Amino acid sequence: MIPHRTILVVFFLAVLFWCAGFLLLPFITIAGFVSSEGYAFYGRVCHQIDARSWHVGTEPFGVCIRCSAIYLGALVSLFVMLLVREPDPRVARWAFLVTIAAVAVDVGLDLLGVASNTELSRSITGGLAGVAAPWFVMPLFVDAVQQLLRKRVQSQQGDVIHVRETE
Amino acid sequence: MFEKPSKLNPALIAGLAIGVVSGLPGLNLINCCCCAGIILGGMLAVHLHKQEFTGEMPPMESSDALVLGIMAGIVGAVSSVVVGGLVTVLFGGVEERFIMKFLEEFFSRMEESGGMPPGSVDELMEQMERSFEESRTFGGILRNLFFSLIIYPIFAMLGGLIGYGLLVKKKPAGPSQQAQA
């Protein structure tokens, strides 16, 4: 069975790849290469409003400030998870719910016209949600992957026994 | 011991819900918030699957939620392209003008309240028009499908796991499971 840490490392690398994708887009544009497909790809998950995005020079990242903060927060959290023990699942669950609620309040107040959110509020709420999410989701993901692998091994062993019996 | 219920029905229903949310113009803006519509679809799949379990069946596991999320995401990716195509065929320019007008008013209000810098609304509307034009071409539809088939299963899988974490009560591990661990 694949150990817990290996699954974490693979997931961390996947998130690193995802983050590198949207962070490199402005550099690719500045270097003169075609980046429209990259922006179109990340456009499936983000509004990409220019005024709500961080820029390199005049070129925006592939996703908005809030999304960038969420993904980068998750990346940092996954890195920390590789180094330290996981917290109590109840704490992780509550931290996740509270930070998601903070994002919802920040978005909701802006949409309702009660209070406009700012670059700082989007960065902080997004970043905190990104940091909290892996502590809640990753134990479930690791558990799920290990269950699937265990079932696969069991079914393979079952097949071997079945073949031996029929022989 | 009874077998676990099939995942097909909840995955299809949740996938179709993802397709409707993501394929209908205007409603699909919910996905601009980190694919919230797709994540909620994954959670819906887990909720529906959970309803089918009875006391005699083995408990729902996180691997069920993971697989369900991926299945719902794949169905959602395909159905969103179909729903989007149907809306374009049925309503064509009418629906497009309605959405553009709605968005223009919405973003202008944000610009007035200081939520967006002056001039950004025009730029945004140009972007929207371009994306509407692109989505009508065969190449645009194929590209949409390709991107959706990558992104939707990932986010729906995360939604499935979040749904499992929030909605499913874990039963304490039995002696055989403890021995395995």
Side-chain angles (χ1 to χ4, degrees), chain A residues 43 46-53 60 64, chain B residues 29 32 99-111 115-132:
Chain A
C46 179
H47 54 68
Q48 295 180 322
I49 296 174
D50 193 66
R52 292 188 168 216
S53 303
C64 70
Chain B
L29 288 176
C32 288
I99 297 299
M100 293 293 281
K101 196 168 162 13
F102 169 78
L103 289 176
E104 196 167 0
E105 277 175 22
F106 177 72
F107 288 127
S108 299
R109 218 178 55 207
M110 283 182 80
E111 195 179 71
M116 287 173 75
S120 51
V121 173
D122 294 336
E123 190 190 333
L124 205 64
M125 297 319 290
E126 261 176 48
Q127 269 181 21
M128 294 293 296
E129 262 174 53
R130 258 204 315 272
S131 76
F132 268 124

Side-chain angles (χ1 to χ4, degrees), chain B residues 151-162:
Chain B
I151 289 170
Y152 284 30
I154 296 173
F155 281 87
M157 177 198 79
L158 291 175
L161 289 173
I162 290 170

Side-chain angles (χ1 to χ4, degrees), chain A residues 120-152:
Chain A
L120 186 67
S121 74
R122 292 193 287 268
S123 312
I124 291 175
T125 53
L128 287 175
V131 166
W135 298 99
F136 176 61
V137 175
M138 278 316 291
L140 298 170
F141 179 76
V142 171
D143 189 38
V145 172
Q146 287 182 331
Q147 279 171 20
L148 288 174
L149 293 171
R150 200 161 46 228
K151 282 176 193 168
R152 199 173 149 207

Side-chain angles (χ1 to χ4, degrees), chain A residues 71-95:
Chain A
Y71 298 135
L72 292 173
L75 185 69
V76 170
S77 234
L78 283 165
F79 182 70
V80 174
M81 284 177 96
L82 292 170
L83 308 174
V84 299
R85 235 183 93 244
E86 283 166 23
D88 186 322
R90 281 168 302 181
V91 176
R93 180 192 168 105
W94 278 107

